[in-house]
Amino acid sequence: MGTPYPNPISPTRTRVGWIGIGVMGAAMATRLLSACYSVTVYARTPSKAQPLQFLGAQLADSPFHLAQLCDVVFTMVGHPQDVRSNVLHPETGILSGISPNSVTVDMTSSHPALAREIFTAARAKNCWSVDAPVSGGDIGAREGKLAILAGGDASVVEWLAPLFDILGKATYVGPAGSGQSCKIANQIVVGGNLLGLSEGLVFAEQAGLDVRQFMEAVRGGAAGSMVMELFGERMIGRDFRPGGFAEYMVKDLGMGVDVVEESEDERVVVLPGAALCKQLYSGMVANGDGKLGTQGLITAIERLNGK
């Protein structure tokens, strides 16, 4: 039993571990279970794993224990410090328990430098690490239509294809850390789109337009976007349930606009639009709205306009 790299991945033999069973992680783990993979999960609050256990998942009592049982371990947690704790902790972390040639895949939106650190630590233990954050929100997670931005060793990313294909479409974007850099760039684009959509809807309403009619009129033109398709109706319907939390956008955009130079060869990139977007999301957090979905950005624009 077991198929560590480079043995072919198969539902009957490959043992999958999953850490992080929030809105996104639970949906993604569910898809792997539905594809008949053996999945072991770890949750800081074990009761939250019960829905996955009902579907056949096993429960581990630590990341270390989970890693001992699995060929591929996915992490989908909240913040870079959570990634560090789950993967690199010297006593309870994944790399303390993982077997040679097994693979850890971090799908959290995290820091490129941490991804490179994990890759180096994994190779020192004769195993592998891939940073593979995702875009597509809770709908993409449920429907298996996530964009997976994969960094690391190209052959390992290719080897993971049977698992990635269940979750969405993976694109190899370069060596360790590149997946995270790609996700930061993605969030800069998404944040700008959400801001534009929020302001467009607020303006349309103030101008006396039917906002649904406005959106239908423009969605086929240059203003149309995946952000509009995913979040436009939710904004109009005041559905701010999170696929990704607003507070996570503060983290993600911060990794772009608050970056500190790591070497003399790297330059800080000036990103005024992303900085403004981060400030608006920070305002949401300050107002107690950090747990709203990212589409809740419209409430910040409404508040600025006295609504």
Side-chain angles (χ1 to χ4, degrees):
M1 186 69 174
T3 59
Y5 176 78
N7 299 293
I9 289 174
S10 74
T12 57
R13 297 192 62 198
T14 302
R15 304 165 301 172
V16 177
W18 197 280
I19 298 175
I21 51 174
V23 174
M24 297 281 291
M28 296 160 76
T30 296
R31 290 193 60 83
L32 294 174
L33 286 163
S34 297
C36 298
Y37 280 89
S38 170
V39 178
T40 301
V41 301
Y42 166 71
R44 288 179 295 184
T45 306
S47 61
K48 292 184 178 179
Q50 286 182 353
L52 292 172
Q53 288 180 278
F54 291 148
L55 296 175
Q58 303 299 308
L59 184 64
D61 59 16
S62 70
F64 173 87
H65 179 222
L66 180 144
Q68 289 183 310
L69 301 174
C70 298
D71 305 304
V72 181
V73 179
F74 290 91
T75 48
M76 183 67 168
V77 293
H79 296 275
Q81 60 264 36
D82 300 319
V83 177
R84 179 176 294 278
S85 174
N86 279 290
V87 179
L88 294 175
H89 192 284
E91 297 177 359
T92 62
I94 291 168
L95 292 186
S96 297
I98 202 167
S99 300
N101 290 317
S102 294
V103 179
T104 179
V105 183
D106 183 30
M107 308 193 89
T108 312
S109 296
S110 186
H111 201 287
L114 178 57
R116 292 190 288 268
E117 181 181 348
I118 290 172
F119 182 86
T120 300
R123 293 307 299 133
K125 291 181 174 290
N126 197 30
C127 52
W128 298 89
S129 171
V130 169
D131 52 294
V134 300
S135 181
D138 55 328
I139 295 174
R142 290 195 300 271
E143 297 181 354
K145 296 181 179 179
L146 293 169
I148 303 169
L149 317 170
D153 184 275
S155 62
V156 176
V157 172
E158 183 178 358
W159 176 76
L160 288 163
L163 298 173
F164 282 156
D165 288 347
I166 295 167
L167 305 176
K169 175 177 171 46
T171 301
Y172 178 70
V173 294
S178 299
Q180 298 298 351
S181 293
C182 191
K183 179 59 186 287
I184 293 169
N186 176 87
Q187 295 301 79
I188 292 167
V189 174
V190 170
N193 272 273
L194 283 165
L195 178 54
L197 179 58
S198 297
E199 291 186 345
L201 287 170
V202 169
F203 176 84
E205 183 178 32
Q206 293 286 342
L209 298 176
D210 179 303
V211 290
R212 285 190 171 87
Q213 192 175 63
F214 153 72
M215 197 167 69
E216 187 61 33
V218 304
R219 74 194 325 156
S225 68
M226 182 61 72
V227 163
M228 180 178 285
E229 298 307 314
L230 287 172
F231 299 117
E233 186 59 39
R234 292 191 190 188
M235 287 179 170
I236 293 170
R238 317 305 290 175
D239 178 1
F240 300 132
R241 290 174 294 177
F245 292 120
E247 65 183 16
Y248 287 175
M249 284 295 282
V250 178
K251 170 201 67 171
D252 294 349
L253 293 170
M255 288 188 288
V257 302
D258 301 333
V259 67
V260 176
E261 295 183 25
E262 296 174 19
S263 74
E264 294 181 357
D265 296 329
E266 294 183 307
R267 297 176 60 190
V268 173
V269 182
V270 179
L271 305 168
L276 173 59
C277 196
K278 183 203 169 198
Q279 195 68 22
L280 289 167
Y281 275 111
S282 296
M284 288 183 64
V285 173
N287 281 305
D289 293 335
K291 297 297 185 184
L292 297 184
T294 53
Q295 71 273 23
L297 183 62
I298 193 172
T299 64
I301 304 303
E302 290 170 340
R303 188 176 287 113
L304 289 171
N305 285 277
K307 182 176 178 180

